[in-house]
Amino acid sequence: MKMNIALLAGDGIGPEVIDQAVKVCNAICNKYNHEISWRPALTGAAAIDAVGEPYPDETHEICVSSDAVLFGAIGHPRFDNDPSAKVRPEQGLLKMRKKLGLFANVRPTFTFPSLIDKSPLKRERIEGTDLVFLRELTGGIYFGERGRKDEGETAFDTCTYTRSEVVRLAKKGFELAMTRSKKLCCVDKANVLETSRLWRETVQRMEKDYPEVEVSYEFVDAVAMRLVQWPNSYDVLITENLFGDILTDEASVISGSMGLMPSASVGESIALYEPIHGSYPQAAGKDIANPLATVLSAAMMFDGFGLNEEANAIKNVVNKSLEKGVVTEDLSEGAKSFKTSEVGDWLAANI
Ligand code: IPM
Ligand code: MN
């Protein structure tokens, strides 16, 4: 198969982890006779510096004319502590999600057998965890009206959802549940928020179309607690943008490190694959960041193309590196650790 992949390395550790994913993908292409043409493009602070805009039109053109997008990370500390900054790298990410119509962010949470005892959570709680969050990605408070009033003394962000936005996300949730254990949890705050009541009402109406799926409705605060207490009780969870952002960071603790969790953003046509972690500026350029979340995002990309054998080859080699202790310092626990680039080389060589 011939694939054109837009390669958006972004900021911070983005370029380093993306490099390792490229090595791994190229090794897969060699082994299985595929051809990837990588199409690098600018995003984030790097794009602001180069052209004054975090998601330039040229980058968008490259994305829409590719078969998929592989994305690193976005964000730079020089913007975080400057509330008056007019353009921010994160705006690029949000604009990209919106313009590419990526309304569903698929974030799986699973455990790695060799890492279970490294989790701060007890083995008996987390063993066998295999759940998927479907986070709504182009609506809610991230995209609502916001601003200041009263001469800057009052600030507001508004959360808005339309029924059709809920339907298209929930539909993906029901469909995914049908391919798994047929359990769906709708996470909301319907005891307080009107948008949550719309979510709940909409999902309730859809239940009749999926009679085999057992749906539960839980408040987000309760899910935050139960997720680390009884992760095994969940399978597919659907939720709005901000709740999904927060809960998926929390869920990464179950796997052992934020540096392990991949994601796929899907929607109207093209899909984008990205690690759930951020740009981790403290580690940028040091060759110490964990590349596995990005490598596993590349595995999700092969799955997205229907190339499951290739995807499994990546997941297997990642498991093997964890078993053999070929890991970056976030996972080495005082034992010998490997550089980001060394982990990438090892993975590519062992495919
Ligand atoms: C994520 C990130 C982004 C988000 C930030 C960088 C805007 O935290 O992908 O989870 O909040 O969606
Ligand atoms: Mn996040």
Side-chain angles (χ1 to χ4, degrees):
M1 191 165 158
K2 279 198 167 140
M3 293 158 269
N4 288 314
I5 310 291
L7 194 62
L8 276 50
D11 303 321
I13 60 168
E16 297 160 58
V17 293
I18 279 284
D19 278 352
Q20 313 320 312
V22 168
K23 286 180 196 168
V24 169
C25 290
N26 288 342
I28 289 285
C29 287
N30 271 337
K31 178 161 177 181
Y32 293 91
N33 252 319
H34 300 301
E35 205 181 306
I36 294 183
S37 157
W38 298 105
R39 310 173 74 203
L42 287 169
T43 42
I48 296 178
D49 292 341
V51 294
E53 145 74 52
Y55 183 60
D57 290 343
E58 307 86 86
T59 299
H60 183 63
E61 287 313 311
I62 291 178
C63 290
V64 290
S65 59
S66 296
D67 299 307
V69 182
L70 189 61
F71 177 79
I74 247 178
H76 194 285
R78 92 171 175 267
F79 298 90
D80 293 345
N81 300 322
D82 176 9
S84 67
K86 291 270 175 301
V87 279
R88 305 182 165 276
E90 288 79 2
Q91 289 164 346
L93 182 59
L94 302 186
K95 192 171 161 196
M96 176 171 76
R97 289 172 177 169
K98 194 77 169 179
K99 283 184 80 170
L100 294 175
L102 304 169
F103 63 81
N105 187 209
V106 186
R107 296 190 163 186
T109 298
F110 43 85
T111 52
F112 298 85
S114 51
L115 291 184
I116 290 202
D117 293 315
K118 295 203 170 127
S119 169
L121 303 169
K122 292 198 182 88
R123 167 183 281 272
E124 61 268 30
R125 298 281 170 149
I126 60 172
E127 202 158 34
T129 299
D130 178 14
L131 55 88
V132 186
F133 276 95
L134 276 184
R135 166 190 174 193
E136 201 290 326
L137 204 58
T138 53
I141 201 164
Y142 272 60
F143 291 92
E145 216 181 297
R146 76 187 77 226
R148 293 281 180 113
K149 50 189 184 183
D150 305 332
E151 282 152 10
E153 295 307 295
T154 305
F156 60 96
D157 295 278
T158 46
C159 182
T160 305
Y161 270 108
T162 63
R163 194 180 301 280
S164 62
E165 284 174 319
V166 181
V167 168
R168 65 185 184 179
L169 191 276
K171 190 163 175 282
K172 289 215 182 284
F174 276 108
E175 285 166 1
L176 184 61
M178 284 301 290
T179 67
R180 296 172 50 100
S181 74
K182 302 192 171 74
K183 260 173 45 186
L184 182 71
C185 178
C186 173
V187 183
D188 62 32
K189 188 72 187 173
N191 51 347
V192 179
L193 302 176
E194 198 54 40
T195 41
S196 283
R197 288 192 274 273
L198 176 74
W199 270 75
R200 199 172 273 220
E201 175 192 293
T202 305
V203 176
Q204 278 168 346
R205 283 187 197 170
M206 292 171 76
E207 276 190 48
K208 63 173 186 331
D209 301 326
Y210 304 89
E212 287 170 60
V213 178
E214 181 198 324
V215 188
S216 64
Y217 297 86
E218 292 182 35
F219 298 139
V220 60
D221 46 354
V223 174
M225 178 184 68
R226 283 173 42 86
L227 186 61
V228 282
Q229 236 176 348
W230 307 111
N232 267 306
S233 63
Y234 294 108
D235 186 32
V236 179
L237 301 101
I238 52 173
T239 192
E240 63 93 58
N241 205 342
L242 181 62
F243 296 162
D245 178 47
I246 298 168
L247 290 177
T248 52
D249 268 29
E250 186 193 359
S252 74
V253 177
I254 298 168
S255 311
S257 169
M258 244 327 236
L260 292 168
M261 304 316 295
S263 85
S265 299
V266 298
E268 284 144 22
S269 51
I270 196 166
L272 175 143
Y273 300 87
E274 59 170 316
I276 82 158
H277 60 67
S279 59
Y280 191 15
Q282 302 86 337
K286 295 191 182 150
D287 205 17
I288 56 171
N290 190 338
L292 295 184
T294 313
V295 169
L296 289 168
S297 299
M300 288 183 88
M301 180 174 84
F302 283 104
D303 270 330
F305 287 129
L307 301 173
N308 307 100
E309 203 183 322
E310 289 79 344
N312 287 335
I314 299 180
K315 293 175 212 167
N316 290 339
V317 78
V318 164
N319 268 322
K320 207 164 130 191
S321 74
L322 294 171
E323 274 160 31
K324 298 225 179 291
V326 183
V327 293
T328 41
E329 63 179 34
D330 54 314
L331 294 175
S332 67
E333 284 193 320
K336 175 177 163 46
S337 68
F338 289 74
K339 296 284 181 196
T340 310
S341 54
E342 291 172 334
V343 173
D345 290 338
W346 192 92
L347 295 170
N350 281 275
I351 277 171

